[in-house]
Amino acid sequence: MTTAKKTTAARQGFKTGEAIVYPAHGVGRITAIEEQEIAGYKLELFVVSFEKDKMVLRVPTAKANSVGMRKLAEPELVKKALDVLTGRARVKRTMWSRRAQEYEAKINSGDLIAVTEVVRDLYRSDAQPEQSYSERQLYEAALDRVVREIAAVNRITDTESLKLIEQSLAKSPRRAKGAEAEADGEDLQDEAEAA
């Protein structure tokens, strides 16, 4: 197996140094385009580094589009994703195992809007009941993907991206009503104590 690195290259619309989204792993960066000989065939590969996961992935350049590798979302799509978070959660009345499979498929689709819908549907405010372990795992996986892509698109830190997401989630109709109900309850309690 021989490896030849090509540093200033662009293939399939992708170039070295560019941040991309790989559906199964989220946001990564193309560090190089290599040529390797495997079983007598020469293959050109994108070398994609996922810093947070400490992982390097090699994707054949010819297969990049078919595996769903894509460029980062446009700023308009990020705005739309944040708007999705302010909407009402849509939870189907099916068994958890089926819903979990659907959520997993959305997360691994690499589609920012689909992953954002999972975050919206699985989000729980402090006033709501606890999530199950599997629900929390799916929520955190989806949230991580959305946080990293928004951070990369807006060139901000993951923490700043998480704050944007939390602000959008707080605007959701259900969350707002819950907060108002809590505030009303506190006001009534304060009035009772004052009397």
Side-chain angles (χ1 to χ4, degrees):
M1 184 172 88
T2 58
T3 302
K5 280 200 175 186
K6 296 180 178 183
T7 49
T8 56
R11 301 284 183 281
Q12 304 283 326
F14 298 104
K15 58 184 182 280
T16 54
E18 181 178 28
I20 55 94
V21 175
Y22 190 84
H25 303 293
V27 177
R29 185 167 301 280
I30 298 174
T31 55
I33 298 175
E34 294 180 347
E35 203 171 88
Q36 288 188 354
E37 190 174 306
I38 300 171
Y41 293 98
K42 281 193 188 282
L43 268 182
E44 199 173 54
L45 305 165
F46 288 116
V47 179
V48 183
S49 172
F50 298 90
E51 267 184 51
K52 192 170 182 181
D53 301 328
K54 294 179 177 48
M55 178 177 72
V56 175
L57 188 66
R58 285 176 169 72
V59 182
T61 55
K63 298 273 186 191
N65 290 329
S66 65
V67 297
M69 193 166 104
R70 65 173 174 83
K71 293 181 178 287
L72 290 175
E74 293 294 319
E76 298 84 45
L77 189 64
V78 168
K79 185 180 180 326
K80 186 177 176 188
L82 290 171
D83 288 345
V84 165
L85 292 173
T86 63
R88 187 174 303 281
R90 291 179 180 86
V91 180
K92 293 181 183 172
R93 298 284 178 220
T94 58
M95 291 178 59
W96 167 247
S97 60
R98 175 151 307 162
R99 283 197 335 258
Q101 288 174 338
E102 289 173 6
Y103 290 143
E104 188 79 40
K106 280 184 170 186
I107 292 168
N108 289 327
S109 73
D111 176 22
L112 180 62
I113 299 298
V115 180
T116 305
E117 288 171 355
V118 175
V119 171
R120 176 197 65 203
D121 294 349
L122 292 179
Y123 173 76
R124 293 281 171 76
S125 68
D126 294 336
Q128 293 173 304
E130 288 262 332
Q131 292 173 312
S132 69
Y133 178 77
S134 59
E135 206 175 359
R136 192 167 54 251
Q137 291 296 104
L138 285 170
Y139 171 72
E140 288 172 0
L143 183 63
D144 182 59
R145 298 270 173 91
V146 174
V147 163
R148 285 163 62 182
E149 185 158 1
I150 290 175
V153 170
N154 291 345
R155 299 187 194 316
I156 56 177
T157 65
D158 286 359
T159 307
E160 291 169 321
S161 175
L162 181 60
K163 282 182 184 170
L164 273 177
I165 292 166
E166 287 173 344
Q167 287 169 355
S168 293
L169 285 167
K171 293 176 188 171
S172 166
R174 182 179 61 187
R175 317 294 187 259
K177 286 179 187 171
E180 288 169 13
E182 283 177 26
D184 291 345
E186 289 170 6
D187 291 344
L188 291 174
Q189 190 174 6
D190 291 343
E191 287 173 17
E193 289 173 0

